[in-house]
Amino acid sequence: MERAHALDPALANRFKSLARIIGNTPLLGVEFRFRGEERVIYAKSEQINMTGSIKDRMALYILQRAYADGQIRAGDTIVEATSGNTGISFASLGRALGHPVTVFMPDWMSRERSDLIRSMGASIVPVGRAQGGFLGSIRMAEEFAARKKNVFSPCQFSNAANVEAHESTTGPELWWQLQSNSLVPDAFVAGVGTGGTIMGVGRFLRSRNPRVHIHPVEPAESPTLSTGHKLGEHRIQGISDEFVPSIVKLDELDEVVGVSDGDAILMAQKLAAALGLAVGISSGANFIGALKVQNDLGRDAVVATVFPDDNKKYLSTDLLREEPVQDGYLTPAVEFSGFHAFKRVCHTCCELSECTQRLGPGAI
Ligand code: PMP
């Protein structure tokens, strides 16, 4: 690794502006009745990040770190393998910071994803199943990076900075937002793509409350985490990408929760239709995963999750089609009644909704 160097002031200002439109998301307390019981599940509203997904946090943090460590220089090409949201985040941040971006992406991801990436001037290399699908995308991105000069590869599936992004932002925000309402999380639940969210938020929450349960979610139709390898197909884009990423440490996590993709679709549809929360399919999966964990821990358990993105990237998918209900689905038993949003602004040392100095609710 090269020596750290100071950022030029113009670039430092760009990073500062980007940091104001990424992260510090509101926490929603989603209220509902389930089999006659009044319940609440908490979800970070990650669809309101700059490009509409939680991956902006990781992309911003990795680029900041790469500049600080001298791993990236002005004008370098950013090259990444992604199932979509990461490509959109790097296309956007790359453009904002003056970097060309090349994305290797499986060719079965939604049309909206590739259109969005191209709209920000990035190049896409579509990778078919015959070329190795997701693993092929990663291999081809690595080969591209090895062949060319002046390339920066974020390597989201193996980069510890992906986990740190959530350990230093998403996790503390969630903790303080719950604390400011006199709540302590009993469990955090999230679908695993790279695993950055579950590992990073999990580590922060465990540092505050060692007894907190941390449950990864995977599609029941394609249980990669519980089997250790790719199995079957599923429709929850963004999670369970055919392998267990190296940043995922299953021995630090509690039991894997399986969620059917049809139930996830029905739940995402219901969140939009009943509450106006127009979220993506993995948000529906996360909500059902959180509900399953709450069913185990007790109706009053404080269970939190994330809504990773909104529904705009799925308008051409089954999310906008009628989904048949199957035995065992939980969505039909959920009746939403409303939600409350927590977002408090620090008036002491910064203007952000959650104090960047991590001074806690006393400073807010
Ligand atoms: N949901 C969606 C829609 C995503 O794009 C991703 C990221 N691939 C995730 C969930 C999972 O996030 P992570 O990579 O942090 O595990």
Side-chain angles (χ1 to χ4, degrees), residues 28 81 97 182 236 261 281 285:
L28 305 177
L97 296 166
S182 308
I236 313 177
D261 59 6
I281 301 171

Side-chain angles (χ1 to χ4, degrees), residues 41-338:
I41 280 174
Y42 297 90
K44 292 281 283 171
S45 204
E46 295 300 311
Q47 75 274 26
I48 65 165
N49 279 299
M50 179 182 180
T51 75
S53 93
I54 194 165
K55 302 306 291 197
D56 288 349
R57 292 180 183 267
M58 177 276 301
L60 178 64
Y61 188 88
I62 284 186
L63 289 174
Q64 270 171 328
R65 280 285 302 272
Y67 266 103
D69 295 344
Q71 291 176 328
I72 187 170
R73 290 177 193 285
D76 282 359
T77 300
I78 299 170
V79 177
E80 183 61 304
T82 159
S83 59
N85 276 324
T86 295
I88 296 168
S89 296
F90 278 117
S92 169
L93 296 190
R95 184 55 21 148
L97 296 166
H99 294 278
V101 177
T102 298
V103 165
F104 289 78
M105 191 164 86
D107 64 3
W108 60 85
M109 292 298 158
S110 74
R111 167 81 192 271
E112 292 87 334
R113 280 165 151 71
S114 42
D115 286 350
L116 284 167
I117 291 170
R118 286 201 185 91
S119 77
M120 290 178 282
S123 318
I124 298 186
V125 182
V127 181
R129 291 194 200 276
Q131 294 163 286
F134 211 93
L135 289 169
S137 304
I138 296 177
R139 196 192 57 246
M140 287 165 74
E142 283 169 359
E143 285 167 6
F144 181 97
R147 249 189 351 258
K148 302 241 183 216
K149 281 202 169 72
N150 305 324
V151 164
F152 172 68
S153 294
C155 300
Q156 56 166 343
F157 292 97
S158 54
N159 190 338
N162 178 1
V163 176
E164 285 164 29
H166 296 286
E167 191 173 357
S168 63
T169 71
T170 327
E173 285 170 33
L174 173 60
W175 175 263
W176 291 122
Q177 282 166 326
L178 289 172
Q179 282 274 302
S180 64
N181 287 275
S182 308
L183 295 167
V184 173
D186 295 305
F188 178 73
V189 180
V192 173
T194 62
T197 308
I198 194 80
M199 295 308 301
V201 174
R203 274 182 200 163
F204 182 85
L205 297 182
R206 282 250 165 88
S207 74
R208 298 281 159 164
N209 171 19
R211 289 192 315 278
V212 68
H213 299 263
I214 307 294
H215 289 280
V217 167
E218 70 180 357
E221 296 77 9
S222 177
T224 310
L225 293 176
S226 29
T227 59
H229 58 273
K230 175 178 162 50
L231 196 73
E233 310 267 314
H234 70 92
R235 295 175 291 166
I236 313 177
Q237 293 189 26
I239 70 170
S240 199
D241 289 323
E242 304 186 353
F243 62 102
V244 183
S246 63
I247 57 173
V248 175
K249 309 288 178 211
L250 285 171
D251 55 355
E252 291 180 27
L253 301 173
D254 292 293
E255 202 183 317
V256 181
V257 179
V259 171
S260 291
D261 59 6
D263 209 4
I265 287 172
L266 287 167
M267 181 55 78
Q269 291 173 339
K270 202 169 206 171
L271 283 160
L275 297 177
L277 294 173
V279 292
I281 301 171
S282 71
S283 302
N286 282 355
F287 193 90
I288 292 169
L291 177 56
K292 288 187 170 186
V293 169
Q294 193 176 52
N295 287 344
D296 283 348
L297 295 179
R299 57 186 279 190
D300 294 325
V302 178
V303 181
T305 185
V306 290
F307 289 154
D309 68 356
D310 62 30
N311 70 357
K312 296 186 191 65
K313 272 167 263 128
Y314 307 96
L315 300 178
S316 68
T317 74
D318 284 356
L319 185 57
L320 269 282
R321 300 191 188 106
E322 194 172 336
E323 181 65 28
V325 173
Q326 291 189 22
D327 281 353
Y329 283 8
L330 297 187
T331 305
V334 171
E335 251 177 88
F336 288 115
S337 47

